[in-house]
Amino acid sequence: LKELLQGLRNGQSTVDDALVALESLPFESMEFAHLDTHRAIRSGFPEVVLCQGKRTDHVVSIVKKLARHSPVLATRAEPEVYAAVVEQTPEAQYHEVARAITVGTLPTPRIDSTVMVVSAGTADVPVAEEAALTARWMGSPVDTLFDVGVAGVHRLLHHRKQLMAARILVVVAGMEGALPSVVAGLTGKPVVAVPTSVGYGAHLGGIAPLLTMLNGCAPGVVVVNIDNGFGAGYMAGLLNLLN
Amino acid sequence: LKELLQGLRNGQSTVDDALVALESLPFESMEFAHLDTHRAIRSGFPEVVLCQGKRTDHVVSIVKKLARHSPVLATRAEPEVYAAVVEQTPEAQYHEVARAITVGTLPTPRIDSTVMVVSAGTADVPVAEEAALTARWMGSPVDTLFDVGVAGVHRLLHHRKQLMAARILVVVAGMEGALPSVVAGLTGKPVVAVPTSVGYGAHLGGIAPLLTMLNGCAPGVVVVNIDNGFGAGYMAGLLNLLN
Amino acid sequence: LKELLQGLRNGQSTVDDALVALESLPFESMEFAHLDTHRAIRSGFPEVVLCQGKRTDHVVSIVKKLARHSPVLATRAEPEVYAAVVEQTPEAQYHEVARAITVGTLPTPRIDSTVMVVSAGTADVPVAEEAALTARWMGSPVDTLFDVGVAGVHRLLHHRKQLMAARILVVVAGMEGALPSVVAGLTGKPVVAVPTSVGYGAHLGGIAPLLTMLNGCAPGVVVVNIDNGFGAGYMAGLLNLLN
Amino acid sequence: LKELLQGLRNGQSTVDDALVALESLPFESMEFAHLDTHRAIRSGFPEVVLCQGKRTDHVVSIVKKLARHSPVLATRAEPEVYAAVVEQTPEAQYHEVARAITVGTLPTPRIDSTVMVVSAGTADVPVAEEAALTARWMGSPVDTLFDVGVAGVHRLLHHRKQLMAARILVVVAGMEGALPSVVAGLTGKPVVAVPTSVGYGAHLGGIAPLLTMLNGCAPGVVVVNIDNGFGAGYMAGLLNLLN
Amino acid sequence: LKELLQGLRNGQSTVDDALVALESLPFESMEFAHLDTHRAIRSGFPEVVLCQGKRTDHVVSIVKKLARHSPVLATRAEPEVYAAVVEQTPEAQYHEVARAITVGTLPTPRIDSTVMVVSAGTADVPVAEEAALTARWMGSPVDTLFDVGVAGVHRLLHHRKQLMAARILVVVAGMEGALPSVVAGLTGKPVVAVPTSVGYGAHLGGIAPLLTMLNGCAPGVVVVNIDNGFGAGYMAGLLNLLN
Amino acid sequence: LKELLQGLRNGQSTVDDALVALESLPFESMEFAHLDTHRAIRSGFPEVVLCQGKRTDHVVSIVKKLARHSPVLATRAEPEVYAAVVEQTPEAQYHEVARAITVGTLPTPRIDSTVMVVSAGTADVPVAEEAALTARWMGSPVDTLFDVGVAGVHRLLHHRKQLMAARILVVVAGMEGALPSVVAGLTGKPVVAVPTSVGYGAHLGGIAPLLTMLNGCAPGVVVVNIDNGFGAGYMAGLLNLLN
Amino acid sequence: LKELLQGLRNGQSTVDDALVALESLPFESMEFAHLDTHRAIRSGFPEVVLCQGKRTDHVVSIVKKLARHSPVLATRAEPEVYAAVVEQTPEAQYHEVARAITVGTLPTPRIDSTVMVVSAGTADVPVAEEAALTARWMGSPVDTLFDVGVAGVHRLLHHRKQLMAARILVVVAGMEGALPSVVAGLTGKPVVAVPTSVGYGAHLGGIAPLLTMLNGCAPGVVVVNIDNGFGAGYMAGLLNLLN
Amino acid sequence: LKELLQGLRNGQSTVDDALVALESLPFESMEFAHLDTHRAIRSGFPEVVLCQGKRTDHVVSIVKKLARHSPVLATRAEPEVYAAVVEQTPEAQYHEVARAITVGTLPTPRIDSTVMVVSAGTADVPVAEEAALTARWMGSPVDTLFDVGVAGVHRLLHHRKQLMAARILVVVAGMEGALPSVVAGLTGKPVVAVPTSVGYGAHLGGIAPLLTMLNGCAPGVVVVNIDNGFGAGYMAGLLNLLN
């Protein structure tokens, strides 16, 4: 901004040019989308595409445009969506369990410290993998530990050393969602908790573990939306890069 | 009414005729519907058909009957419904993104002032297009601006001049639904807010942005039902014609 | 902004001055509040104080500061709050039924067209009066009609002419909240609907009439939060001034 | 019971016989059901079969057994279920709009007074027809009036005489569900209100009109479960036969 | 209406007089209320005052005005409200358990058939008494049976003869609200079910028994709002007078 | 019953006597209550009085009457209620933390096996004590362990031997309510889980831990209502006496 | 543990060995699961597989591994899942109504006392059969009684003797869910109540009967999650084996 | 643990001593509480006392005991609780706006990087101050910025530099809760979002902003329970100390 104003002061630009420039923050306009190409400047990471809810042709176009600027991460992508994307963007890769598309190679980890992604059950693994992939895409080393829920807490105790080795923990749990509290109590590490929609009946599509995690009595737990593996992985990646 | 009573007073009609006439407000009776053909007189706009939830054969008959009296707007029409309608009413047109059928040409705008329809995301566009079509059908000029949600607020600031040029704003948003508050705060214009069902998990099918919009701290925001693009466009059209 | 930049171009100000000025949008800073004194410029109306939830000493200070810039409206003020305010701001007036404080005389109506505020029941009157006062404070003529709920719809039909004389209708209803639909159907006028917390049991503190109003089958109805007479009156005032 | 005990006293039966008889209230036992063949004695009407949620082969067997004792009404029957039933019970008839099966001819009305079934919209007709069929099956004359919702209240006023001619009113409404209140206020007649799942968004699958009906400010309205046309028709039939 | 129009036809009145008369349906206008004095004509029973939520001075004035036209019933009246009412309307009487005020003597029963009011628990008695008083005020003989909930179903079986003697049953229940189903199953009589707010925890202020009653598997049960003894008693009174 | 019928057969009683006796199951009738004095015969334990929601004079009378037949337990009794009860029933004792009244000495334990009542937090102790008192009143030895929630799971592990010594466990927890799952997983013992209203915000008055407990992934956990220490203690007492 | 430490003390093992052993509680690790093979030691019963929500190939692998250690029970298995499982584990058997797979013969009952599983309706039978199978798999004799809901309570009374013969009752009910209260009141036996998702409208997918069961006024009732036949059968099996 | 085992191996301790020591993880046992004095070892911070819901005498004793081991933080303490605490622990200090008690001096910040606590409104300040105090108590420098909600977004833009200077942001907002999304979008910094109960009507005691924050479309936002300033401050403090 200062540069811009100094150019004006120096007579290198006109008032009208300055007005235009002041308003021309970078984004790329499409008929149905404003790609936030400025985000990489603001936050250090490019915009991520949530495929769910968008028309497939829109996803295809958006991924193609974004791929010109930076590596791409597109989440909640069904196999059909990937099939359409890869036709236009041949270097796109599919991560089946995580249900995600990436374009560009995942970066070499920038740091040593690790994000650990833990799941309570086998059925929570897709959400956990989405979190793990996101953190890896941001440049974090990631470790995983699956199916260690509280019904058999000895499985968790057995892995305590592994848990203590991480800088940030992402804990993914459906059913009653009690695992993040127990993990935070055991380790004293910051925990990003992800409730999942795995359950039935009074589970209410994930509301039950969401409430459990919000009401946890162990400090050091924060929560993201139900099934939001991306959000948890993003936060963990961001925090792991803090220096 | 006065005319009717004067006719009676003058002996031009009998008491029994008057009783019948008093009760014969105009509507057209079908086995399964009472078409409110009187509405155009009361409100200036004919009855609009909500296709969703009705049997296709009923929609076909209703559109055909209404088309004899006035231009028709039928919303929430799947392509199959349009296919059935157009067989009986060949001049019917389909608006694919807005999922709506019209019969009769859209009117030349009666006024200069504009309704601006804004969407927070790409996935909200169908609801936004329904709103835009409705306002156009009522005779308003309409402008649109899509995918300018609060995660990249600079996109919105960039378009401030365009927003200020409208008389009424319709703001459509899913996810957390924060855009109407921000737009109302920025512009001071009246905002008709439409929450959408775009989201997942604790989004509760649109309840989350609905609550956000009802609790907004910026004055000048009113709300319609989730995904009710028609209702918002109708209100905006009505308000834009106020003189 | 243009002026500012031209001053810089002309050498009338320095780059640093311009930077400061660009960031010095008007608001008044207090320890616990940022008074938005800029709002009157953006929207034409000064910031309104919601007393509920704030400490009384904070309300007293905020009202006092705002009163130096412009006329004040403070809503949801208990009598005790008014008593404290009037000690520091002696010209403050209390509107008992509307539970609001004003400082400065209400403006002479700027226009002829009227806002009509309708209530379904006697117990809804305080919310209706809050709406009426707000619209008056903004410069609208206001008419009122109370206790004309749908259980005795003839009362409403009797006043149809009065309803038709207004430009904008505010309809306030607790219990089942059906009045706005009926009024919109009868008049074809734009209706701002306000659900109230008047009711019991499955009324859920106003959720029942809120849902009724959101699901109304008559077009031309928009909704604000439960008991939000201010919000409805503000919107009606804003719309009534549209030209 | 008295007879039984007198038989015992008279030595016509033994204590053990009496014990068995005391416990042998009539019902017919199947592997998966206890048919309440005693109900016709207790209430005057045989047990009605709710097909929804039951396996088709179970429905087929139950209808067949019941048809030996009394006329049958089976509700919520999809066409496939009817197809299976009619193979085993050839005299079964299907009522397509009401989605119901009957076995045996509908009785000649036992009385003169009429049950009137009113629907707010065209999409509510299936539930209304279920109510009408049930009352007819119980021996009531039934009249119907469809698509007279509150958005065009003149349609309702036009039919006031018809409404006043009934003894009991069943009023079926989706969307905001305001019709029962208005009808009860206009007529002073007892109204059995049926909310339907017709709507979207904040309609919550019928919870919105259910709450509206429970909170109605007009006395003389009672409510049944969402889409429960059978329950409303049964109650209306029962009440219409009161003497 | 016919008379009115004939007067006009005969020249006994002018067109303008007729217009006024057509609109002058009877009600009494107050600043804060439109008393529906016409209701007694429409429904046979005068308007009933719900005191809860109204200012005491409003209740006092409304009761006083209504008492000039007809007997009065005012429900949900706290003792303080009665104290204020009786000063202005000395003949007002207070029914402590039912928390209601009446003015004028309760009518001699018009009919022989009885309304039976049943309560599941001791804590449900106030709501049951409100129902009983309302039905008596409308001219029905009323019988009561309290504290016969399903935890000790033999208490209910013991009173079966008494239940069978009634024409209409009102069944009031808090906690799990199962009593109406059981009573309807036993008797085959029409049951108006009233859920109460008696309970705690997952009772949700009466939502639990409300849902129970709406989902009851015994036909012949209809439901009113939580704690709405008045509504149930009114419906029972209305039905008991059907002939 | 057999005896009764044999008496009749033998001519020792008349038919009318038998009819009366058949209907005279034991309970004691009061104006506002039917005391279920028969319950002790059916279930082995007399009726327990829930004071909450009942008028104090009713509680006083009920306790006095029940005390003539059997030992009394009255729960949810505020100190004022006890003060009134002890005036009429001087041998009544108050258990302050459990908020309960007993009349008669607690029985000597009938068995050796123990009910263990565990609480997650200090604030859950009143509910836990209600459970413990109930089980003791039924004749079970009871052990307690308080404030061993999952935030510091080592406290629980430390007491594993004590937990394993019990036959039945009652686990009381507010906040996120995760303790029952962990305890059931550790011990393999049957757990009766009690959610409490201890918490705030998204705790929803106990709904959060209730959902947690219903969705627990460890088998062997059953749940009672929020704060229902009595219900859990009763079930534990019943189960502990099973042989 | 003691043995382990004595071995260390005696020099039979090293400190490092002991550390490893202390942490080596038995479970079998797979890429996506930690099989809790230790559970049979802790609780007496091996881990049960919930198929719902897991990928079929994961279920196939888990069943195969578990079958090497102990008899297997896998619940919520669709026929396709069974088809895949039986290919890898040919001795697997399918229980169609209960939707469950077992590997290994069901044990000869270890005890005489019986678990009785009762269902309110025909549509609740699959959940009831899941409960019955689970208890049988654990070694309990099981008896069943189906379709005895409260709408025809005489069916239940008729079977009272059969109910009294059981040690533990499992009561399964959809719709309004009132059966467990009535059964507990009649029998005085411990009841494990299972709400089912059988119902519609205000049934809310089973929330209605869940709330009914939690608020039951009869003591001796505990509740499990909606449709959780497994959980109820497990608890009943556990309790029936208590000695 | 290793030390302990080596002592045993070396004969410095007996097997029984080792068993006791293995089970003697540090906590201090009181009748109503198990103080987790071990927590400081596990997590680096001592246990924090939540006063709300505990009896005052329990809080007094717990604070006194904890104060012997380490500095104390007790949250949600009403003035009366502080008054009782300070009698027994005279060095206790009260933080009135934050409603918290501390014992011991707040530590000198261990690091340079700052936690920034932002509030949307004036009424949210107490929750914000609780967060700020908690982070300070853990050794973080803290900066605050209050009343910068989205209705006047220029106030926020004005402070962008200040926001960018922090390492971690805590954003506290009631009403519609949109501020965290906007702040995260503007800054790219990790945001811990705290919904507050400030609002009315459809705000549902904080559920509305909670849902808003969970559904936010800007990545880098995590959420804690409604009004949980402590939890947010703790997480921010923990993250700020990460190295």
Side-chain angles (χ1 to χ4, degrees), chain D residues 51-206:
Chain D
C51 300
Q52 181 183 322
K54 294 202 179 70
R55 294 167 52 141
T56 297
D57 56 338
H58 287 181
V59 172
V60 168
S61 307
I62 291 173
V63 169
K64 197 173 174 184
K65 284 231 169 167
L66 284 175
R68 287 186 296 196
H69 299 282
S70 56
V72 174
L73 174 62
T75 62
R76 306 281 174 104
E78 297 303 314
E80 309 82 73
V81 172
Y82 171 67
V85 163
V86 79
E87 277 189 27
Q88 296 284 324
T89 311
E91 68 276 30
Q93 285 184 297
Y94 194 51
H95 305 258
E96 189 198 344
V97 182
R99 297 155 308 163
I101 296 166
T102 51
V103 187
T105 51
L106 293 184
T108 312
R110 315 183 188 178
I111 48 174
D112 287 340
S113 62
T114 303
V115 168
M116 162 65 95
V117 179
V118 182
S119 94
T122 297
D124 302 317
V125 167
V127 174
E129 283 288 11
E130 188 185 83
L133 177 64
T134 302
R136 267 186 218 110
W137 175 77
M138 293 169 78
S140 270
V142 175
D143 196 4
T144 60
L145 179 61
F146 295 155
D147 194 28
V148 291
V150 299
V153 80
H154 66 284
R155 296 178 294 193
L156 190 67
L157 298 174
H158 178 78
H159 290 288
R160 186 151 34 168
K161 194 184 300 180
Q162 201 177 346
L163 294 169
M164 293 307 293
R167 195 184 196 208
I168 307 283
L169 298 163
V170 172
V171 183
V172 181
M175 304 297 282
E176 87 267 61
L179 190 58
S181 273
V182 174
V183 169
L186 276 176
T187 64
K189 299 271 179 186
V191 170
V192 180
V194 192
T196 75
S197 54
V198 171
Y200 60 91
H203 190 262
L204 305 176

Side-chain angles (χ1 to χ4, degrees), chain E residues 131-239:
Chain E
L133 177 64
T134 302
R136 268 186 217 112
W137 175 78
M138 294 169 77
S140 271
V142 175
D143 196 3
T144 61
L145 180 60
F146 295 154
D147 193 29
V148 291
V150 299
V153 79
H154 66 284
R155 295 178 297 193
L156 191 66
L157 299 174
H158 178 78
H159 291 286
R160 185 149 37 167
K161 193 184 301 179
Q162 201 178 345
L163 294 170
M164 293 306 292
R167 195 184 195 206
I168 307 285
L169 298 164
V170 172
V171 182
V172 181
M175 303 297 282
E176 86 269 59
L179 189 59
S181 272
V182 175
V183 168
L186 276 176
T187 65
K189 299 270 178 185
V191 170
V192 181
V194 192
T196 74
S197 54
V198 172
Y200 60 90
H203 190 262
L204 305 176
I207 294 296
L210 171 62
L211 294 179
T212 305
M213 293 172 186
L214 288 167
N215 286 286
C217 50
V221 179
V222 287
V223 187
V224 297
N225 195 4
I226 298 161
D227 290 336
N228 190 3
F230 162 69
Y234 188 95
M235 191 62 166
L238 203 58
L239 295 173

Side-chain angles (χ1 to χ4, degrees), chain E residues 89-114:
Chain E
T89 309
E91 67 276 30
Q93 286 185 296
Y94 193 52
H95 305 257
E96 189 198 343
V97 180
R99 296 157 309 163
I101 296 166
T102 52
V103 188
T105 50
L106 294 183
T108 311
R110 312 185 190 178
I111 47 174
D112 286 341
S113 63
T114 303

Side-chain angles (χ1 to χ4, degrees), chain H residues 189-200:
Chain H
K189 299 272 178 184
V191 169
V192 181
V194 191
T196 74
S197 54
V198 172
Y200 60 90

Side-chain angles (χ1 to χ4, degrees), chain D residues 23 32-34 36 42 225 228, chain G residues 122 146-147 155 158 200 202:
Chain D
E23 288 185 338
F32 48 85
H34 280 84
D36 189 355
R42 292 203 314 280
N225 195 3
N228 190 4
Chain G
T122 298
F146 294 156
D147 193 28
R155 296 178 294 194
H158 178 78
Y200 60 89

Side-chain angles (χ1 to χ4, degrees), chain A residues 3-27:
Chain A
E3 272 179 54
L4 175 73
L5 294 175
Q6 276 172 335
L8 182 68
R9 173 81 163 136
N10 301 342
Q12 289 164 347
S13 64
T14 66
V15 165
D16 284 347
D17 289 353
L19 274 172
V20 165
L22 272 171
E23 288 185 339
S24 296
L25 289 161
F27 55 76

Side-chain angles (χ1 to χ4, degrees), chain B residues 2-14, chain E residues 9 15:
Chain B
K2 202 164 181 177
E3 271 178 56
L4 176 73
L5 295 175
Q6 276 171 335
L8 183 68
R9 174 81 163 134
N10 302 342
Q12 290 164 347
S13 63
T14 66
Chain E
R9 174 77 161 136
V15 165

